[in-house]
Amino acid sequence: MSPTILILLYAFFLSEAAATAPPPPPPLRQGFYAETCPAAESIARNILRRAMARDARSAASVMRLQFHDCFVNGCDGSLLLEKRGRMEGEKSALSNINSVRSYEVIDEIKEAMEAACPAVVSCADIIIMAARDAVLLSGGPNWEVKLGRKDSLWASLEAANEIMPSPRANATFLIHLFSRYNLTVKDLVALSGSHSIGKARCFSVLFRLYNQSGSGKPDPAINPTFRKDLDKLCPQHGDVEVTANLDATPKRFDNQYYRDLAHGRGFLNSDQTLYTSMETRKYVKLFARSEEEFFIAFVRGMVKLGDIRSGLHGEIRRNCRVVN
């Protein structure tokens, strides 16, 4: 076969592939539901406010759903899917099981959305709206969210286990992970400020207290007084399900988290490493000095995080836990 014919065949196959490839998803934008479901954002906020009145931890839990969803194949609501057939689902991933919670709040918001605007608002968008509202209702900044996502038809336990970081992660690992999503070192430190609110289990800190890096000794970065408090709360052979505050003001979204890190009072290794690492310390110091700088950087990071998309086409689920 002549080179000319080969070139023509190659061009033909390329054009055929382009013709059959699905078009890219439409761009996300602010005010996406202004005409199709104008009450969408107020519905989400009001239900979250009620959930927080029942359980103050709901704010932190709902906010973190955005992180756990968007890092795994984009912001597509795949985190919410229950195990089905050959699909294991992401809820049972090591970083999610016994850690990620408040799925029922998303269910409640979705039910209200379906009553107001059937088959219009995606579960993926509900996560994004609710995460913003969790920050705002906890005293943090407000921002306009970009919407228009579809819900995934599939979830990946394997991807969740491969991607989501452990509480033992160090700054080097976290910097590399975030860079995969075009998130900078500053974005990493700002988004880690999500731990300004909420709690974590003793299970996540025991190795720091008693066997850091397999040494059989505590992490030297822990403030000695803080370590004594943790020893009482999380004894070596105690109840690993006991929870501790992630910073000194666990119900208020503020920059206390960074001030705590600067004094060796970070609860998780993945938090305290941001101060012990030279690459991230300057941003910890910046945000500890200026809550305004933290809020600006956090909003920018959350918007960038929300822009992560898989490129796959999905649907608007009627029930966030199962495909239609």
Side-chain angles (χ1 to χ4, degrees), residues 163-186:
I163 293 169
M164 293 307 299
S166 156
R168 301 187 183 196
N170 60 31
T172 300
F173 175 87
L174 293 171
I175 290 169
H176 176 71
L177 171 64
F178 276 60
S179 70
R180 290 169 57 180
Y181 301 97
N182 197 34
L183 294 168
T184 66
V185 174
K186 187 175 184 179

Side-chain angles (χ1 to χ4, degrees), residues 77-82 91 103 106-111 121-124 126-127 151-152 317-324:
S78 60
L79 173 67
L80 305 175
L81 287 172
E82 297 289 352
K91 290 182 178 179
Y103 297 113
I106 303 301
D107 292 337
E108 189 178 348
I109 295 172
K110 179 60 174 173
E111 184 178 355
V121 182
S122 69
C123 301
I126 288 173
I127 290 176
D151 295 321
S152 172
R317 288 189 219 132
R318 292 187 293 270
N319 179 336
C320 290
R321 295 177 183 255
V322 295
V323 297
N324 295 338

Side-chain angles (χ1 to χ4, degrees), residues 160-216:
N161 278 328
E162 188 271 326
I163 293 169
M164 293 307 299
S166 156
R168 301 187 183 196
N170 60 31
T172 300
F173 175 87
L174 293 171
I175 290 169
H176 176 71
L177 171 64
F178 276 60
S179 70
R180 290 169 57 180
Y181 301 97
N182 197 34
L183 294 168
T184 66
V185 174
K186 187 175 184 179
D187 292 330
L188 160 63
V189 179
L191 289 173
S192 296
S194 63
H195 287 172
S196 168
I197 55 175
K199 297 172 177 286
R201 296 182 302 149
C202 285
F203 174 83
S204 299
V205 77
L206 286 178
F207 81 101
R208 289 191 71 205
L209 295 175
Y210 307 108
N211 193 27
Q212 177 76 332
S213 302
S215 66

Side-chain angles (χ1 to χ4, degrees), residues 76-96:
D76 59 4
S78 60
L79 173 67
L80 305 175
L81 287 172
E82 297 289 352
K83 178 180 179 180
R84 176 176 57 89
R86 294 183 296 108
M87 184 188 74
E88 289 293 329
E90 296 164 19
K91 290 182 178 179
S92 56
L94 294 175
S95 60
N96 295 337

Side-chain angles (χ1 to χ4, degrees), residues 270-281:
S270 54
D271 291 330
Q272 194 60 53
T273 188
L274 300 178
Y275 191 76
T276 55
S277 169
M278 293 300 294
E279 292 178 269
T280 50
R281 183 184 298 176

Side-chain angles (χ1 to χ4, degrees), residues 35-69:
E35 296 182 2
T36 57
C37 192
E41 295 192 43
S42 61
I43 289 172
R45 184 167 298 172
N46 289 335
I47 290 177
L48 181 60
R49 185 181 285 111
R50 292 202 297 267
M52 290 172 61
R54 295 192 302 265
D55 177 6
R57 288 183 65 192
S58 294
S61 301
V62 167
M63 174 183 56
R64 289 184 196 120
L65 291 176
Q66 177 171 337
F67 292 81
H68 289 255
D69 186 44

